[in-house]
């Protein structure tokens, strides 16, 4: 592995600071989505106005008759909304500058489609229901450590998303708010994504890039089989051995950078849990020998990174 050059490291630190500020600005702007307006009273008393709060989905709620209290409420909301949108838009412009600097200094090396998928999951509020596991988790570890893994360790054409079946009701609610299937969410990133006929837990695009959605092995109370939505063309989630251990491991999060300079937050698992899991996989006699060798390589590489660069994660 190699350490990220000093100029690229400085740029990454600055870019992440802006990205995290933008995340906070988005959360603040979300609190004041929709609007407020004064609804005129009946014809008999047109000045008897009511303050109405509207949501982004179009619903409305009366907050009471016009009074000093509702006047103050209206003014406060308008001020918060204006400031939140001003801050959000300013930080978005700063991110565009950092994207150019990231690209110029070759800060990132993640495939842009990975960043696009993670950002789509974040925008739709679905990201909290998934953890990135498998090879792509290495990009989070190398970003946090400021190093670059060997290409052999990170070479892959698919991303594994671990879904928590225990939170399926909350996930269904979040998915219903975007009014589409999970496959539909991916198709907003690349419309050529389709579910594979031979592997219903896998979607593949025109370039052969795959997205796999997995879950823990069936436990008491778990439905099985399970599809992520009522859409006939959506994912059927595959059971994965020892996935419960990955769900139970402490979360790990880092901002990753694509080769085009775009950024996204990757939520994955504790690197020591990754090491244990890959060591176990590398010892499975029935596993493809080529994959077993890569499992061992990844386990060793991440273990070295933890010891040298992320000692606070060593357990």
């Amino acid at each position: 592995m190699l350490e990220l050059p000093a100029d690229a490291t400085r740029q990454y630190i600055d870019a992440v600071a802006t990205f995290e500020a933008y995340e906070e600005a988005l959360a603040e702007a979300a609190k004041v989505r929709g609007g407020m307006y004064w609804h005129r009273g009946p014809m008999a008393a047109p000045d008897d106005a009511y303050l109405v709060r509207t949501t982004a989905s179009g619903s409305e709620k009366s907050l009471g008759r016009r009074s000093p209290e509702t006047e103050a409420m209206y003014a406060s909301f308008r001020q918060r909304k204006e400031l939140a949108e001003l801050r959000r838009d300013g930080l978005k412009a700063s991110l565009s500058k950092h994207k150019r600097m990231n690209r110029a200094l070759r800060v990132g090396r993640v495939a842009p489609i990975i960043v696009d998928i993670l950002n789509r999951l974040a925008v739709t509020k679905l990201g909290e229901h998934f953890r990135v596991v498998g090879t792509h988790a290495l990009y989070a570890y190398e970003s946090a450590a400021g190093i670059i893994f060997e290409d052999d360790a990170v070479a892959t054409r698919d991303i594994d998303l671990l879904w928590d079946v225990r939170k399926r009701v909350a996930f269904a609610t979040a998915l219903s708010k975007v009014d589409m299937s999970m496959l539909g969410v991916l198709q907003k990133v690349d419309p050529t994504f389709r579910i594979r006929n031979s592997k219903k837990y896998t979607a593949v695009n025109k370039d052969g890039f795959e997205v796999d959605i997995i879950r823990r092995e069936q436990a008491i109370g778990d439905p099985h089989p399970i599809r992520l939505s009522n859409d006939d063309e959506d994912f059927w989630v595959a059971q994965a051995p020892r996935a419960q251990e990955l769900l139970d491991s402490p979360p790990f999060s880092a901002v990753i950078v694509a080769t085009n300079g775009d950024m996204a937050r990757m939520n994955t698992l504790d690197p020591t849990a990754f090491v244990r899991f890959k060591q176990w996989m590398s010892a499975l006699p029935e596993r493809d020998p080529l994959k077993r060798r890569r499992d061992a390589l990844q386990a060793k590489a991440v273990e070295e990174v933890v010891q040298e660069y992320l000692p606070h994660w060593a357990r």
Side-chain angles (χ1 to χ4, degrees), residues 109-119 189 257-262 264:
R109 64 189 191 122
V110 183
I113 193 168
I114 297 298
V115 166
D116 292 343
I117 288 171
L118 294 179
N119 281 331
V189 175
V257 185
T259 53
N260 64 1
D262 276 335

Side-chain angles (χ1 to χ4, degrees), residues 3 41 47 69 216 306:
E3 291 189 353
D47 294 331
E69 289 77 16
R216 70 180 184 183
V306 170

Side-chain angles (χ1 to χ4, degrees), residues 198-258:
S198 58
K199 296 195 299 183
K200 294 294 187 180
Y201 60 90
T202 300
V204 61
N205 72 355
K206 61 178 174 50
D207 300 315
F209 185 84
E210 295 183 339
V211 177
D212 295 338
I213 300 185
I214 60 176
R215 52 166 284 192
R216 70 180 184 183
E217 293 179 296
Q218 186 180 17
I220 295 175
D222 288 354
H224 182 74
I226 186 168
R227 191 170 56 198
L228 289 183
S229 75
N230 292 326
D231 192 308
D232 291 339
E233 296 301 317
D234 210 0
F235 287 88
W236 289 90
V237 190
Q239 298 182 84
R242 296 181 64 166
Q244 185 62 58
E245 294 180 28
L246 305 183
L247 288 171
D248 291 340
S249 71
F252 185 95
S253 176
V255 176
I256 61 170
V257 185

Side-chain angles (χ1 to χ4, degrees), residues 4 7-9 11-12 101-103 105-109 257-258:
L4 202 64
D7 55 352
T9 298
Q11 169 56 28
Y12 175 75
M101 289 300 296
N102 287 343
R103 187 169 59 246
L105 294 174
R106 299 184 178 180
V107 174
R109 64 189 191 122
V257 185

Side-chain angles (χ1 to χ4, degrees), residues 48 67 78 101 107-108 140 202 220 261 284 290 313:
D48 192 10
S67 67
R78 296 295 300 174
M101 289 300 296
V107 174
T202 300
I220 295 175
L284 294 174
L290 296 178
W313 282 95

Side-chain angles (χ1 to χ4, degrees), residues 246-312:
L246 305 183
L247 288 171
D248 291 340
S249 71
F252 185 95
S253 176
V255 176
I256 61 170
V257 185
T259 53
N260 64 1
D262 276 335
M263 295 179 284
R265 180 169 298 283
M266 179 181 286
N267 296 314
T268 181
L269 58 144
D270 169 1
T272 57
F274 178 93
V275 170
R276 288 193 300 270
F277 188 74
K278 284 295 183 174
Q279 288 173 338
W280 169 74
M281 292 189 73
S282 70
L284 294 174
E286 68 275 15
R287 188 162 168 77
D288 184 317
L290 296 178
K291 292 182 178 180
R292 282 196 283 117
R293 286 201 292 272
R294 190 178 67 172
D295 293 334
L297 171 65
Q298 292 175 343
K300 185 175 184 295
V302 174
E303 188 172 34
E304 290 175 354
V305 164
V306 170
Q307 291 173 353
E308 188 167 354
Y309 298 98
L310 305 172
H312 53 292

Side-chain angles (χ1 to χ4, degrees), residues 154-168:
V154 295
T156 185
R157 291 291 295 165
D158 71 301
I159 184 172
D160 297 324
L161 300 178
L162 177 60
W163 180 66
D164 193 345
V165 67
R166 297 169 298 183
K167 301 177 181 178
R168 58 189 180 276

